[in-house]
Amino acid sequence: MKKLIYEIKEESKKLVEKTDQELQELSAILKKKAEHTDKRIVKWFALVQEISSRTIGLKHFDTQLLGGLLLHQGKIIEMKTGEGKTLVSTLPVSLNALTGKGVHVVTVNEYLAERDHKWMGKVYSKLGLTTGLIKSQSSLNEKQKSYNSDITYVTNSELVFDYLRDSSAYNLKEMVQRPFNFCLIDEIDSVLIDEARTPLILSTNAEAKPETKNKLYLAKAIANLLKRDAHFQLDEKRKDIHLTENGYKELKKRLGKKTLYDPEDPWILDILNALKAKYLFKINKDYIILKNKIVIVDEFTGRIMEDRRWSMGLHESVEIKEKVDIGSSTKTKSSITYQNFFTLYPTLSGMSGTAKTTEKEFKDIYNLEVIVLPTVKPLIRIDLPDYIYQTELAKWKNVLLQSKTCFEKGQPILIGTSTIEKSEFLAEFFKFAKIPYKILNAKPENVTRESEIIAQAGERYAVTIATNMAGRGTDIILGGNPKFRIKQKLREFLLDNTTNIQYSSQMQSDNIEYSAQIWREYSLAMLINDLDNLPYSLDKCKSSLKNLYKNFAKNVYAKWEEENKLVKELGGLFVLGTERHETRRIDNQLQGRAGRQGDPGVSQFFVSLEDDLIKVFGGDNIRKWVEYLIPDKDAPIESNLLTKSLENAQKKVELYNYDLRKNIFQYDDILNVQRKQLFKIRKELLRENIYEQLFLRFSEYAVDDFFAKSLLISNSNVYVIEKEFDNYITYDKNIFLTQERTSKIFLQEKEKINVYKELWISNDLRQAKSNFYQLGFLKSTRAIILLSILDFYWTEHIERMGYIRETISWRSYGQQNPLVEYNTEAFKSFKLMFEQIRSCMLYYFIKNPINYS
Ligand code: ADP
Ligand code: MG
């Protein structure tokens, strides 16, 4: 691609001389060409580079051009943190937006979506492309507008939920998305790997019935009586629980039941859920309690996921355990995994600082290739070897000591923890030792300030405790982030009256002048809005605010330069990991916080033999060996052997987790085919007025089915066949079955046509009759009834499959591959669903009193 990059740069040189007007004309010309030929790509990239340089002052580096070319081909690029992935995205995104079919740029949180939309949006608008931003609070109208833009910024979960909501809309006007075209996912590993373990579920709320609640309480009480190992076994690695033969017997005895799988009154799930809630799900690790509700914490990102619930009754079991209100029990209306969702895009691409270690999974499941790009400046971060302590306490003591050392020097330190609980434990420790710190975890009071805390984690004397990857996508700048600082100072100066007075005496008089001018020109709401959007709103601001900003900026930048130099001299940011995570990728993510853009930096992990990773996956051998050899519990061990076994443990977990995700994917894949089919039908129904045809087709199917059945029992007596028909077609058979017609005639194929004809005629008559009362009435009610029937049985099907999925390993007896069995069951259940939809629809439409009146 060297040649292409060379050509882009040559082309770009030609553009420097051109006026803005000329560039815009060029953009319009390029837009008209339909094909993505190399020549056009070169011209377009050159144009984007020039316009970006003019509007936001950033000119793509060579590696960024290379990244753009690769993304356009639908690849994943790995570029380290701070290398400017956001700017890279402008190239492929704008190029693919030229067709007008829409490009989705997916980010992991709303802050980033908003930031990138404002920031890069300026480049797009100069290129003549429209952009939109989807927020969870956006109205239907806003969403439609944003999805109809050339480029749409959206978070992964909102994007998928919109898809699921669209697929259960009752009206075209309620739908927000267009057919998919090109998608770019920022921090792609976070979305496609870390979050891929829980499917996204759109649920309908149903008030929990008292019986259900009683059952849950009973299940909890009984679960409490069961003994570990005797009655059940814990599989901590897989977060799973198995009943033993004895446990199964015990349960049957206690419940007085012959089986726990009785479809009318199943117990197995509730019991297993109660056990899981008790033994495997921990407060402040897997979930937190917020406003008397159980809220899930994502185990990788440490984020809370307020709109999600564990499915299949698990959430309710945890609610019972914690004695909080039981949320309305949910029925899954629709669900999809990220894996299956993102493969809906004709072209998918992504970027991340850490993708290489999961290369295989990207290839196997998404068919995406990972390409690592070099950094612009060489990496000079020092990664120190792990310190391994025998006890957790010794580890924490030393974490404290190291933090203290850094703090006393003024070197900023970022301490990564794996759970909220540990971050808070450490915070207590720091309080006691009188080290000022900032803490960042999934607790909502911290989240709102997330990006700000992270952005200032590079200041001198900053001590920051953060859970995994909190603030992902936010840059840690040594000496603090000047843009945030300016904004903060402006806010204080203009909005905070108390500091205003203090400042006034120090500030130059022209600042006070500008401030007075601002208050003359701005209303408070307008001012807050403009301040919030700084620095991206700068060219749209009134000149008074702009001038004040510039004045503050001068000051802040001058100070920042000094600070930046000082922090560099101190060795840059110190990143301290307090645990090796379940995957090397997350370790890398944490490490990558230091040493951005050629900055100095240090990283080191402090681990202990009591860490979960070693406890669960490392085995006891290492422990014994170490205890035997090294008596001093507080001294760290640096040993290659230990580091190796740590790495092995990580690899084991990675493999486990990969299997788990693959498993989820494989199961969901089976439903995926059906989901696509159903959603397609649904869309067709909404888009075109085909209810009439569908109704007729369904009626014909019913007749066909009956014929097929009657052929099977041919030779047997007429009575049986007639009875069968009666049972099968539950509606009034007189409509198309006259008295003298007997089943003997039925057996003839051509007779079918006659029955069809009668169906058609009777349908027309019914239409005419209904029109007589109110024109178009039947037509419009049919649409709604049909959709609700469809959704009702689809929901039932999904629930049925969920139950089968949870219990499949119990139902299959050894030899059978559960996946194969699941597949068979899924097929059966889907078929049943269609039969039910059909019968129900015929019943409604023929027997419905409205039609008969
Ligand atoms: P990443 O997402 O790769 O971690 P960002 O996109 O957040 O990195 O960019 C990090 C910083 O690098 C930003 O402050 C941005 O202004 C700067 N940057 C990116 N590209 C360039 C460029 N071509 N020239 C100068 N600065 C750049
Ligand atoms: Mg980024």
Side-chain angles (χ1 to χ4, degrees), residues 208-238:
K209 288 189 218 130
E211 305 93 275
T212 323
K213 281 190 197 167
N214 288 343
K215 204 169 165 191
L216 287 171
Y217 281 114
L218 189 56
K220 178 188 163 190
I222 291 179
N224 279 341
L225 297 174
L226 297 183
K227 294 198 179 65
R228 188 169 169 175
D229 294 329
H231 295 133
F232 63 91
Q233 281 165 339
L234 282 189
D235 184 348
E236 279 177 75
K237 293 173 195 170
R238 284 184 187 272

mmCIF file of all heavy atoms in Angstrom, residues 208-238:
data_model
loop_
_atom_site.group_PDB
_atom_site.id
_atom_site.type_symbol
_atom_site.label_atom_id
_atom_site.label_comp_id
_atom_site.label_asym_id
_atom_site.label_seq_id
_atom_site.Cartn_x
_atom_site.Cartn_y
_atom_site.Cartn_z
ATOM 1 N N ALA A 208 -44.778 -9.979 38.163
ATOM 2 C CA ALA A 208 -44.562 -11.320 38.707
ATOM 3 C C ALA A 208 -45.793 -11.752 39.500
ATOM 4 O O ALA A 208 -46.298 -11.021 40.334
ATOM 5 C CB ALA A 208 -43.341 -11.314 39.602
ATOM 6 N N LYS A 209 -46.254 -12.929 39.193
ATOM 7 C CA LYS A 209 -47.446 -13.416 39.905
ATOM 8 C C LYS A 209 -47.042 -13.862 41.299
ATOM 9 O O LYS A 209 -45.922 -14.297 41.523
ATOM 10 C CB LYS A 209 -48.021 -14.617 39.144
ATOM 11 C CG LYS A 209 -48.686 -14.233 37.861
ATOM 12 C CD LYS A 209 -49.405 -15.458 37.300
ATOM 13 C CE LYS A 209 -49.307 -15.530 35.798
ATOM 14 N NZ LYS A 209 -48.866 -16.791 35.283
ATOM 15 N N PRO A 210 -47.980 -13.804 42.254
ATOM 16 C CA PRO A 210 -47.643 -14.244 43.612
ATOM 17 C C PRO A 210 -47.139 -15.691 43.627
ATOM 18 O O PRO A 210 -46.189 -16.004 44.340
ATOM 19 C CB PRO A 210 -48.961 -14.113 44.360
ATOM 20 C CG PRO A 210 -49.817 -13.228 43.549
ATOM 21 C CD PRO A 210 -49.336 -13.260 42.153
ATOM 22 N N GLU A 211 -47.744 -16.551 42.799
ATOM 23 C CA GLU A 211 -47.286 -17.960 42.785
ATOM 24 C C GLU A 211 -45.804 -18.019 42.413
ATOM 25 O O GLU A 211 -45.040 -18.781 42.999
ATOM 26 C CB GLU A 211 -48.007 -18.810 41.745
ATOM 27 C CG GLU A 211 -49.493 -18.873 41.766
ATOM 28 C CD GLU A 211 -50.112 -17.846 40.861
ATOM 29 O OE1 GLU A 211 -50.277 -16.695 41.353
ATOM 30 O OE2 GLU A 211 -50.420 -18.141 39.696
ATOM 31 N N THR A 212 -45.444 -17.204 41.412
ATOM 32 C CA THR A 212 -44.059 -17.246 40.944
ATOM 33 C C THR A 212 -43.136 -16.850 42.091
ATOM 34 O O THR A 212 -42.097 -17.465 42.310
ATOM 35 C CB THR A 212 -43.858 -16.252 39.787
ATOM 36 O OG1 THR A 212 -45.028 -16.259 39.004
ATOM 37 C CG2 THR A 212 -42.660 -16.606 38.959
ATOM 38 N N LYS A 213 -43.540 -15.800 42.814
ATOM 39 C CA LYS A 213 -42.704 -15.338 43.907
ATOM 40 C C LYS A 213 -42.579 -16.425 44.964
ATOM 41 O O LYS A 213 -41.481 -16.717 45.451
ATOM 42 C CB LYS A 213 -43.312 -14.085 44.546
ATOM 43 C CG LYS A 213 -43.035 -12.840 43.758
ATOM 44 C CD LYS A 213 -43.434 -11.616 44.555
ATOM 45 C CE LYS A 213 -43.535 -10.424 43.619
ATOM 46 N NZ LYS A 213 -44.194 -9.288 44.239
ATOM 47 N N ASN A 214 -43.701 -17.031 45.308
ATOM 48 C CA ASN A 214 -43.662 -18.081 46.321
ATOM 49 C C ASN A 214 -42.726 -19.194 45.912
ATOM 50 O O ASN A 214 -41.983 -19.743 46.718
ATOM 51 C CB ASN A 214 -45.067 -18.649 46.540
ATOM 52 C CG ASN A 214 -45.926 -17.647 47.270
ATOM 53 O OD1 ASN A 214 -45.396 -16.704 47.869
ATOM 54 N ND2 ASN A 214 -47.233 -17.825 47.203
ATOM 55 N N LYS A 215 -42.790 -19.501 44.636
ATOM 56 C CA LYS A 215 -41.953 -20.579 44.140
ATOM 57 C C LYS A 215 -40.479 -20.221 44.298
ATOM 58 O O LYS A 215 -39.662 -21.053 44.684
ATOM 59 C CB LYS A 215 -42.286 -20.800 42.667
ATOM 60 C CG LYS A 215 -41.948 -22.175 42.208
ATOM 61 C CD LYS A 215 -42.529 -22.431 40.830
ATOM 62 C CE LYS A 215 -41.863 -23.659 40.273
ATOM 63 N NZ LYS A 215 -42.145 -23.856 38.865
ATOM 64 N N LEU A 216 -40.173 -18.951 44.015
ATOM 65 C CA LEU A 216 -38.780 -18.522 44.132
ATOM 66 C C LEU A 216 -38.305 -18.614 45.587
ATOM 67 O O LEU A 216 -37.189 -19.040 45.859
ATOM 68 C CB LEU A 216 -38.636 -17.085 43.632
ATOM 69 C CG LEU A 216 -38.736 -16.891 42.120
ATOM 70 C CD1 LEU A 216 -38.792 -15.414 41.767
ATOM 71 C CD2 LEU A 216 -37.553 -17.536 41.410
ATOM 72 N N TYR A 217 -39.167 -18.209 46.514
ATOM 73 C CA TYR A 217 -38.793 -18.300 47.928
ATOM 74 C C TYR A 217 -38.557 -19.744 48.341
ATOM 75 O O TYR A 217 -37.598 -20.067 49.046
ATOM 76 C CB TYR A 217 -39.883 -17.681 48.812
ATOM 77 C CG TYR A 217 -39.821 -16.180 48.849
ATOM 78 C CD1 TYR A 217 -40.835 -15.398 48.309
ATOM 79 C CD2 TYR A 217 -38.719 -15.527 49.420
ATOM 80 C CE1 TYR A 217 -40.765 -14.020 48.321
ATOM 81 C CE2 TYR A 217 -38.638 -14.154 49.437
ATOM 82 C CZ TYR A 217 -39.659 -13.397 48.887
ATOM 83 O OH TYR A 217 -39.574 -12.034 48.900
ATOM 84 N N LEU A 218 -39.452 -20.596 47.873
ATOM 85 C CA LEU A 218 -39.321 -22.011 48.215
ATOM 86 C C LEU A 218 -38.037 -22.577 47.628
ATOM 87 O O LEU A 218 -37.293 -23.315 48.300
ATOM 88 C CB LEU A 218 -40.546 -22.767 47.681
ATOM 89 C CG LEU A 218 -40.677 -24.214 48.127
ATOM 90 C CD1 LEU A 218 -40.681 -24.308 49.641
ATOM 91 C CD2 LEU A 218 -41.977 -24.811 47.572
ATOM 92 N N ALA A 219 -37.763 -22.193 46.384
ATOM 93 C CA ALA A 219 -36.543 -22.687 45.736
ATOM 94 C C ALA A 219 -35.320 -22.254 46.531
ATOM 95 O O ALA A 219 -34.379 -23.023 46.736
ATOM 96 C CB ALA A 219 -36.460 -22.155 44.309
ATOM 97 N N LYS A 220 -35.354 -21.020 47.036
ATOM 98 C CA LYS A 220 -34.221 -20.529 47.806
ATOM 99 C C LYS A 220 -34.076 -21.338 49.098
ATOM 100 O O LYS A 220 -32.984 -21.768 49.467
ATOM 101 C CB LYS A 220 -34.429 -19.048 48.138
ATOM 102 C CG LYS A 220 -33.314 -18.468 48.984
ATOM 103 C CD LYS A 220 -33.649 -17.075 49.436
ATOM 104 C CE LYS A 220 -32.746 -16.667 50.586
ATOM 105 N NZ LYS A 220 -33.159 -15.429 51.216
ATOM 106 N N ALA A 221 -35.200 -21.558 49.758
ATOM 107 C CA ALA A 221 -35.164 -22.294 51.023
ATOM 108 C C ALA A 221 -34.620 -23.706 50.802
ATOM 109 O O ALA A 221 -33.779 -24.188 51.574
ATOM 110 C CB ALA A 221 -36.563 -22.358 51.617
ATOM 111 N N ILE A 222 -35.076 -24.324 49.744
ATOM 112 C CA ILE A 222 -34.616 -25.686 49.484
ATOM 113 C C ILE A 222 -33.139 -25.696 49.083
ATOM 114 O O ILE A 222 -32.361 -26.531 49.532
ATOM 115 C CB ILE A 222 -35.487 -26.346 48.394
ATOM 116 C CG1 ILE A 222 -36.882 -26.580 48.975
ATOM 117 C CG2 ILE A 222 -34.881 -27.657 47.935
ATOM 118 C CD1 ILE A 222 -37.855 -27.193 48.018
ATOM 119 N N ALA A 223 -32.765 -24.722 48.272
ATOM 120 C CA ALA A 223 -31.365 -24.653 47.850
ATOM 121 C C ALA A 223 -30.455 -24.508 49.061
ATOM 122 O O ALA A 223 -29.346 -25.034 49.096
ATOM 123 C CB ALA A 223 -31.170 -23.490 46.886
ATOM 124 N N ASN A 224 -30.931 -23.783 50.067
ATOM 125 C CA ASN A 224 -30.129 -23.609 51.270
ATOM 126 C C ASN A 224 -29.870 -24.908 52.004
ATOM 127 O O ASN A 224 -28.907 -25.033 52.752
ATOM 128 C CB ASN A 224 -30.812 -22.626 52.228
ATOM 129 C CG ASN A 224 -30.554 -21.195 51.818
ATOM 130 O OD1 ASN A 224 -29.611 -20.932 51.061
ATOM 131 N ND2 ASN A 224 -31.382 -20.281 52.282
ATOM 132 N N LEU A 225 -30.758 -25.874 51.815
ATOM 133 C CA LEU A 225 -30.597 -27.159 52.513
ATOM 134 C C LEU A 225 -29.606 -28.076 51.802
ATOM 135 O O LEU A 225 -29.107 -29.038 52.384
ATOM 136 C CB LEU A 225 -31.943 -27.876 52.600
ATOM 137 C CG LEU A 225 -33.026 -27.148 53.407
ATOM 138 C CD1 LEU A 225 -34.348 -27.875 53.290
ATOM 139 C CD2 LEU A 225 -32.587 -27.048 54.862
ATOM 140 N N LEU A 226 -29.367 -27.797 50.535
ATOM 141 C CA LEU A 226 -28.486 -28.687 49.776
ATOM 142 C C LEU A 226 -27.033 -28.468 50.166
ATOM 143 O O LEU A 226 -26.624 -27.353 50.466
ATOM 144 C CB LEU A 226 -28.654 -28.430 48.275
ATOM 145 C CG LEU A 226 -30.041 -28.713 47.718
ATOM 146 C CD1 LEU A 226 -30.069 -28.488 46.220
ATOM 147 C CD2 LEU A 226 -30.489 -30.129 48.034
ATOM 148 N N LYS A 227 -26.298 -29.586 50.155
ATOM 149 C CA LYS A 227 -24.904 -29.482 50.580
ATOM 150 C C LYS A 227 -23.970 -29.571 49.387
ATOM 151 O O LYS A 227 -24.171 -30.384 48.486
ATOM 152 C CB LYS A 227 -24.590 -30.597 51.560
ATOM 153 C CG LYS A 227 -25.374 -30.439 52.840
ATOM 154 C CD LYS A 227 -24.779 -31.260 53.959
ATOM 155 C CE LYS A 227 -25.590 -31.045 55.228
ATOM 156 N NZ LYS A 227 -26.977 -31.573 55.086
ATOM 157 N N ARG A 228 -22.962 -28.704 49.450
ATOM 158 C CA ARG A 228 -21.986 -28.683 48.374
ATOM 159 C C ARG A 228 -21.305 -30.036 48.257
ATOM 160 O O ARG A 228 -21.049 -30.694 49.257
ATOM 161 C CB ARG A 228 -20.961 -27.582 48.682
ATOM 162 C CG ARG A 228 -20.035 -27.339 47.557
ATOM 163 C CD ARG A 228 -19.225 -26.095 47.796
ATOM 164 N NE ARG A 228 -18.176 -26.068 46.787
ATOM 165 C CZ ARG A 228 -17.334 -25.074 46.620
ATOM 166 N NH1 ARG A 228 -17.411 -24.026 47.390
ATOM 167 N NH2 ARG A 228 -16.405 -25.124 45.673
ATOM 168 N N ASP A 229 -21.008 -30.447 47.066
ATOM 169 C CA ASP A 229 -20.361 -31.723 46.731
ATOM 170 C C ASP A 229 -21.252 -32.938 46.953
ATOM 171 O O ASP A 229 -21.285 -33.823 46.115
ATOM 172 C CB ASP A 229 -19.035 -31.918 47.473
ATOM 173 C CG ASP A 229 -18.008 -30.885 47.013
ATOM 174 O OD1 ASP A 229 -18.088 -30.496 45.825
ATOM 175 O OD2 ASP A 229 -17.196 -30.438 47.826
ATOM 176 N N ALA A 230 -21.994 -32.966 48.070
ATOM 177 C CA ALA A 230 -22.906 -34.102 48.245
ATOM 178 C C ALA A 230 -24.075 -33.970 47.267
ATOM 179 O O ALA A 230 -24.431 -34.904 46.571
ATOM 180 C CB ALA A 230 -23.420 -34.136 49.671
ATOM 181 N N HIS A 231 -24.639 -32.784 47.211
ATOM 182 C CA HIS A 231 -25.834 -32.603 46.388
ATOM 183 C C HIS A 231 -25.586 -31.871 45.072
ATOM 184 O O HIS A 231 -26.336 -32.026 44.125
ATOM 185 C CB HIS A 231 -26.898 -31.846 47.181
ATOM 186 C CG HIS A 231 -27.396 -32.619 48.372
ATOM 187 N ND1 HIS A 231 -27.534 -32.067 49.612
ATOM 188 C CD2 HIS A 231 -27.759 -33.918 48.498
ATOM 189 C CE1 HIS A 231 -27.968 -32.988 50.463
ATOM 190 N NE2 HIS A 231 -28.105 -34.123 49.806
ATOM 191 N N PHE A 232 -24.558 -31.056 45.084
ATOM 192 C CA PHE A 232 -24.268 -30.338 43.837
ATOM 193 C C PHE A 232 -22.785 -30.007 43.776
ATOM 194 O O PHE A 232 -22.098 -30.019 44.806
ATOM 195 C CB PHE A 232 -25.079 -29.037 43.757
ATOM 196 C CG PHE A 232 -24.743 -28.050 44.832
ATOM 197 C CD1 PHE A 232 -23.757 -27.094 44.640
ATOM 198 C CD2 PHE A 232 -25.395 -28.087 46.064
ATOM 199 C CE1 PHE A 232 -23.441 -26.188 45.639
ATOM 200 C CE2 PHE A 232 -25.081 -27.180 47.063
ATOM 201 C CZ PHE A 232 -24.094 -26.240 46.856
ATOM 202 N N GLN A 233 -22.334 -29.747 42.569
ATOM 203 C CA GLN A 233 -20.939 -29.370 42.406
ATOM 204 C C GLN A 233 -20.830 -27.996 41.761
ATOM 205 O O GLN A 233 -21.601 -27.669 40.869
ATOM 206 C CB GLN A 233 -20.222 -30.399 41.538
ATOM 207 C CG GLN A 233 -19.865 -31.620 42.337
ATOM 208 C CD GLN A 233 -19.491 -32.780 41.445
ATOM 209 O OE1 GLN A 233 -19.843 -32.814 40.270
ATOM 210 N NE2 GLN A 233 -18.771 -33.728 42.021
ATOM 211 N N LEU A 234 -19.860 -27.238 42.258
ATOM 212 C CA LEU A 234 -19.658 -25.906 41.700
ATOM 213 C C LEU A 234 -18.604 -25.985 40.606
ATOM 214 O O LEU A 234 -17.586 -26.624 40.782
ATOM 215 C CB LEU A 234 -19.102 -24.964 42.776
ATOM 216 C CG LEU A 234 -20.048 -24.391 43.806
ATOM 217 C CD1 LEU A 234 -19.305 -23.324 44.603
ATOM 218 C CD2 LEU A 234 -21.252 -23.772 43.127
ATOM 219 N N ASP A 235 -18.873 -25.305 39.527
ATOM 220 C CA ASP A 235 -17.854 -25.189 38.497
ATOM 221 C C ASP A 235 -17.550 -23.700 38.386
ATOM 222 O O ASP A 235 -18.182 -22.986 37.617
ATOM 223 C CB ASP A 235 -18.400 -25.757 37.182
ATOM 224 C CG ASP A 235 -17.348 -25.744 36.100
ATOM 225 O OD1 ASP A 235 -16.298 -25.097 36.310
ATOM 226 O OD2 ASP A 235 -17.578 -26.363 35.055
ATOM 227 N N GLU A 236 -16.575 -23.250 39.209
ATOM 228 C CA GLU A 236 -16.328 -21.815 39.274
ATOM 229 C C GLU A 236 -15.793 -21.257 37.963
ATOM 230 O O GLU A 236 -16.032 -20.123 37.608
ATOM 231 C CB GLU A 236 -15.357 -21.499 40.413
ATOM 232 C CG GLU A 236 -16.075 -21.456 41.749
ATOM 233 C CD GLU A 236 -15.121 -21.226 42.900
ATOM 234 O OE1 GLU A 236 -14.663 -20.091 43.061
ATOM 235 O OE2 GLU A 236 -14.829 -22.198 43.625
ATOM 236 N N LYS A 237 -15.054 -22.124 37.276
ATOM 237 C CA LYS A 237 -14.478 -21.664 36.013
ATOM 238 C C LYS A 237 -15.577 -21.275 35.043
ATOM 239 O O LYS A 237 -15.512 -20.261 34.382
ATOM 240 C CB LYS A 237 -13.664 -22.781 35.372
ATOM 241 C CG LYS A 237 -12.417 -23.138 36.157
ATOM 242 C CD LYS A 237 -11.757 -24.365 35.558
ATOM 243 C CE LYS A 237 -10.754 -24.934 36.538
ATOM 244 N NZ LYS A 237 -10.265 -26.246 36.112
ATOM 245 N N ARG A 238 -16.569 -22.119 34.973
ATOM 246 C CA ARG A 238 -17.630 -21.859 34.004
ATOM 247 C C ARG A 238 -18.813 -21.120 34.591
ATOM 248 O O ARG A 238 -19.827 -20.933 33.922
ATOM 249 C CB ARG A 238 -18.121 -23.177 33.414
ATOM 250 C CG ARG A 238 -17.189 -23.753 32.410
ATOM 251 C CD ARG A 238 -17.793 -25.006 31.817
ATOM 252 N NE ARG A 238 -16.817 -25.654 30.971
ATOM 253 C CZ ARG A 238 -16.654 -25.370 29.696
ATOM 254 N NH1 ARG A 238 -17.406 -24.471 29.130
ATOM 255 N NH2 ARG A 238 -15.739 -25.991 28.990
#
